[in-house]
Amino acid sequence: MEIRQLGYVGVQGPDPKAWLDFATRVCGLMPARVVPGEAWGMPGLPGDGPAAGGSGIAADGSVFLKMDEWQWRVAFHPGAAPGLRYLGLEVRGPAELAAAEAELAARGLAVARATAEELEARAVHGMVHLRDPAGQRVELFHGVTRDRNFSSPAGVPGFVTGSLGLGHVVLLVPDLDAALAFYCGALGFRLSDYVTFGPGQGVWFLHCNPRHHSIALFGAGGAHKRINHFMLECNSLDDVGSARDIARRQGTPIVIDLGRHMNDHMVSFYVANPSQFAIEYGWGGRTIDDACWQVGRYDSVESIWGHPELTELAAQMARTIAAAGN
Ligand code: FE2
């Protein structure tokens, strides 16, 4: 099976307005036409549209956010428990989706075909969904809806997306072996490298295209929520610095300040979002050529420079896991 990219993510929480403000003002994402059905310009032909894009908040309280020519890539849905709701992984087309569905079913995984309503809700042509071993909803899809007019309210010129996907997501998993069997064994992700920082503790970084990792699995025992952060990549270091300035001016908590990661070389900072996890906002990540890539092992999360809070946060996590007996 070939997953081509992490195409979209859906998050949830209690406050759509807070998410819209955070995503547009700090991250520079653009309010998208809400899904399903909000049009602009002539039907089927996106025109100049309103300067800010779509209305921002759908009738049900959902917020759809745009970062390139895809209609949307990040969605927020109202929900009492803040966190991650679904991940969308792209396959090439209908034949590949059908093959993936058969392959997953043959492995004994409970995979369901999307209803017409579910397809409309994601604005995709085909989709199946299943749960990973931690219970996280994973969607395989093809046929995204595209439009144009990406224009960041915060002036961000654009993001590194295209065939590399929206960025990466780091999942907290209670059973690392089961998670690796699912994402690598069943879905075909490949190991980029891994970092260990305690017995049975670590983060495994997985790729499905040249982006260093689209998914990382953080062995975190059973007592944690399902997502640590997701990452958006800018085209310039200045965009990262400007976003950091905005976050600081607005008093949005910076969880981990600027630094450059040892493994993917991303220069980034981490900012708290209203769904109680973090967004990593970065630039300059290196890519992988599978023909010559060698899997690396790191024994510390320490960065090349910066990320001053990272080591202590990892140590705190390790202590929590150990105390929980995992
Ligand atoms: Fe990250």
Side-chain angles (χ1 to χ4, degrees):
M1 179 180 321
E2 186 193 0
I3 301 293
R4 295 169 69 81
Q5 62 167 282
L6 172 64
Y8 58 76
V9 298
V11 304
Q12 65 181 38
D15 189 349
K17 180 71 167 57
W19 243 100
L20 185 60
D21 286 350
F22 167 78
T24 54
R25 292 185 187 176
V26 179
C27 301
L29 301 181
M30 177 185 183
R33 295 182 297 147
V34 300
V35 181
E38 186 179 53
W40 60 18
M42 293 173 66
L45 183 66
D48 292 338
S55 63
I57 301 179
D60 71 352
S62 296
V63 172
F64 291 88
L65 297 150
K66 182 172 176 62
M67 57 191 297
D68 58 11
E69 76 279 10
W70 286 30
Q71 180 176 353
W72 66 278
R73 280 195 183 261
V74 178
F76 165 90
H77 304 285
L84 182 64
R85 183 175 288 201
Y86 52 82
L87 294 176
L89 304 176
E90 188 190 39
V91 297
R92 182 187 292 268
E96 288 78 5
L97 187 65
E101 182 185 10
E103 206 177 301
L104 294 167
R107 286 178 173 269
L109 294 163
V111 53
R113 209 167 288 178
T115 63
E117 291 73 24
E118 286 173 320
L119 294 178
E120 205 179 348
R122 300 286 186 273
V124 297
H125 192 75
M127 189 249 279
V128 300
H129 54 89
L130 69 167
R131 298 273 170 184
D132 79 2
Q136 176 59 52
R137 180 176 165 114
V138 174
E139 302 177 350
L140 309 188
F141 71 93
H142 73 88
V144 297
T145 302
R146 294 167 185 270
D147 54 24
R148 55 188 176 89
N149 295 334
F150 175 76
S151 174
S152 167
V156 178
F159 293 91
V160 178
T161 56
S163 60
L164 297 181
L166 83 81
H168 68 234
V169 59
V170 177
L171 302 175
L172 299 167
V173 298
D175 183 337
L176 192 56
D177 289 340
L180 285 167
F182 178 80
Y183 285 100
C184 295
L187 297 186
F189 279 81
R190 301 177 292 282
L191 183 61
S192 309
D193 43 42
Y194 60 100
V195 53
T196 59
F197 43 85
Q201 298 169 9
V203 188
W204 268 248
F205 298 86
L206 312 177
H207 65 279
C208 60
N209 60 40
R211 187 184 287 288
H212 176 276
H213 57 286
S214 293
I215 290 182
L217 304 171
F218 190 147
H224 300 279
K225 53 192 176 183
R226 290 178 180 152
I227 182 168
N228 178 264
H229 69 270
F230 70 81
M231 188 282 303
L232 307 174
E233 185 175 11
C234 297
N235 284 305
S236 83
L237 180 58
D238 289 346
D239 297 338
V240 176
S242 298
R244 180 176 174 275
D245 282 352
I246 292 168
R248 284 166 59 91
R249 268 204 305 275
Q250 297 200 345
T252 310
I254 291 175
V255 185
I256 300 173
D257 211 346
L258 270 182
R260 180 161 227 161
H261 282 301
M262 189 77 84
N263 63 344
D264 68 355
H265 295 182
M266 191 73 72
V267 177
S268 63
F269 72 99
Y270 293 65
V271 61
N273 72 50
S275 287
Q276 298 181 11
F277 60 94
I279 302 292
E280 180 182 7
Y281 204 80
W283 162 81
R286 65 170 162 167
T287 54
I288 282 179
D289 176 357
D290 271 315
C292 55
W293 181 258
Q294 293 179 301
V295 173
R297 174 187 182 275
Y298 299 88
D299 58 7
S300 164
V301 295
E302 204 167 308
S303 290
I304 295 171
W305 56 265
H307 289 145
E309 298 86 355
L310 185 57
T311 305
E312 178 51 28
L313 285 173
Q316 275 176 22
M317 182 75 85
R319 286 194 293 270
T320 306
I321 296 167
N326 291 296

